[in-house]
Amino acid sequence: MNEVFSSPIIKARQLTRIYRLGQVEIAAVDHIDLDILPGQMVVLKGNSGSGKSTLLSLLGGLDQPTEGELHVAGRDLRKASPAEITHYRRSSVGIIFQSFNLLPTLTVLENTCLPALLAGKPSPQVKARALDLLDWLKLTARLQHPPSHLSGGEMQRTAIARALINDPAIILADEPTGNLDSRNGEIVMELLWELNNKLGRTVIIATHSTLADRYAGLSLFLKDGVIAEYS
Ligand SMILES: Nc1ncnc2c1ncn2[C@@H]1O[C@H](COP(=O)(O)OP(=O)(O)OP(=O)(O)O)[C@@H](O)[C@H]1O
Ligand SMILES: [Mg+2]
């Protein structure tokens, strides 16, 4: 492995996110040091409230650390301007949520294309890529459907297509199988694994489920905002 590929794609030092509620402070992420290499498949475990979603939000540029350093995909997220963070979110990371977060008035195809159109990419090129992704995700028969006409598995596969449309190096998934039955959960986990294994994407999955365990290159167990265990 050469130097470029062996340097971390995610590097956190003393990364901290404190929520303040009146006089009470909660360190949701508490001085975490973490290096993740390009192409790693990471599973985040830990009890409810241990900080998994908060950590993913920081990595995805959806939230700002209270203190510490965070470098992702060659970018210093603590020093980045709001415009740079928006660009980072659109180009470097794809995020998948438990509740899918699809726009209800847009079709499957439109939901998939949206992040690329917002990034200013030409429409014919975006549509061609979306059709390819949706074909891979077995959604070709659902292109013109709104999310309300889809099954949970189809909704999550649409969300995966949307997360991939801008070809991000990093995929962040927060309980991606939480609203799915076990068969669809397995399908989604296999797709994430394929993205990692065949396409070399760095994939980080926060989950209570054991479905991800067999694919994990690295498992991190969070406890009260701290990484209590690596395996
Ligand atoms: N917006 C917020 N304001 C205040 N406290 C918050 C906020 N979001 C999270 N917290 C607190 O931060 C801690 C970590 O929450 P987080 O959502 O990251 O946990 P989690 O590991 O994802 O839990 P779950 O498994 O239930 O999804 C919890 O104590 C939670 O109550
Ligand atoms: Mg969570």
Side-chain angles (χ1 to χ4, degrees):
M1 211 185 254
N2 70 32
E3 186 56 32
V4 172
F5 290 108
S6 59
S7 57
I9 189 164
I10 296 174
K11 183 173 163 183
R13 291 292 176 270
Q14 299 293 296
L15 185 67
T16 300
R17 173 61 162 107
I18 293 172
Y19 290 112
R20 293 195 170 84
L21 298 168
Q23 302 292 348
V24 181
E25 286 193 348
I26 296 168
V29 167
D30 194 358
H31 297 91
I32 281 182
D33 290 336
L34 181 62
D35 284 332
I36 293 173
L37 296 174
Q40 264 191 311
M41 179 100 172
V42 183
V43 175
L44 284 180
K45 293 273 181 118
N47 293 338
S48 183
S50 59
K52 303 179 297 296
S53 295
T54 306
L55 179 57
L56 284 186
S57 296
L58 294 173
L59 299 180
L62 301 173
D63 188 14
Q64 286 291 309
T66 314
E67 63 177 270
E69 287 176 37
L70 182 58
H71 292 83
V72 188
R75 206 179 274 270
D76 183 340
L77 286 189
R78 287 224 65 196
K79 298 207 175 119
S81 67
E84 285 169 336
I85 293 206
T86 300
H87 183 258
Y88 163 78
R89 275 207 306 264
R90 285 194 186 136
S91 59
S92 299
V93 283
I95 307 182
I96 299 160
F97 301 93
Q98 174 172 357
S99 50
F100 320 126
N101 294 10
L102 299 171
L103 291 179
T105 57
L106 300 186
T107 65
V108 165
L109 182 58
E110 289 165 343
N111 265 287
T112 304
C113 290
L114 188 63
L117 298 176
L118 289 173
K121 296 187 180 165
S123 178
Q125 192 185 312
V126 170
K127 189 173 171 193
R129 177 165 169 79
L131 291 174
D132 269 358
L133 283 168
L134 292 167
D135 179 51
W136 173 61
L137 292 159
K138 300 192 170 52
L139 285 166
T140 301
R142 296 284 178 274
L143 299 179
Q144 302 307 332
H145 288 231
S148 58
H149 292 190
L150 302 177
S151 72
E154 289 168 340
M155 283 193 235
Q156 195 57 303
R157 299 205 307 279
T158 304
I160 292 175
R162 179 186 56 185
L164 293 174
I165 191 77
N166 284 330
D167 206 16
I170 302 169
I171 314 290
L172 304 173
D174 195 351
E175 288 291 356
T177 64
N179 281 334
L180 302 178
D181 60 68
S182 61
R183 178 67 198 125
N184 278 297
E186 275 169 27
I187 289 170
V188 161
M189 225 35 105
E190 278 164 23
L191 288 166
L192 292 172
W193 178 75
E194 232 177 277
L195 287 173
N196 172 259
N197 189 51
K198 296 204 178 133
L199 300 176
R201 303 306 151 89
T202 307
V203 176
I204 307 179
I205 306 168
T207 186
H208 289 278
S209 153
T210 53
L211 283 173
D213 290 352
R214 73 176 124 144
Y215 302 121
L218 172 66
S219 294
L220 303 177
F221 188 85
L222 290 184
K223 193 167 180 237
D224 299 332
V226 173
I227 300 175
E229 227 176 280
Y230 291 80
S231 58

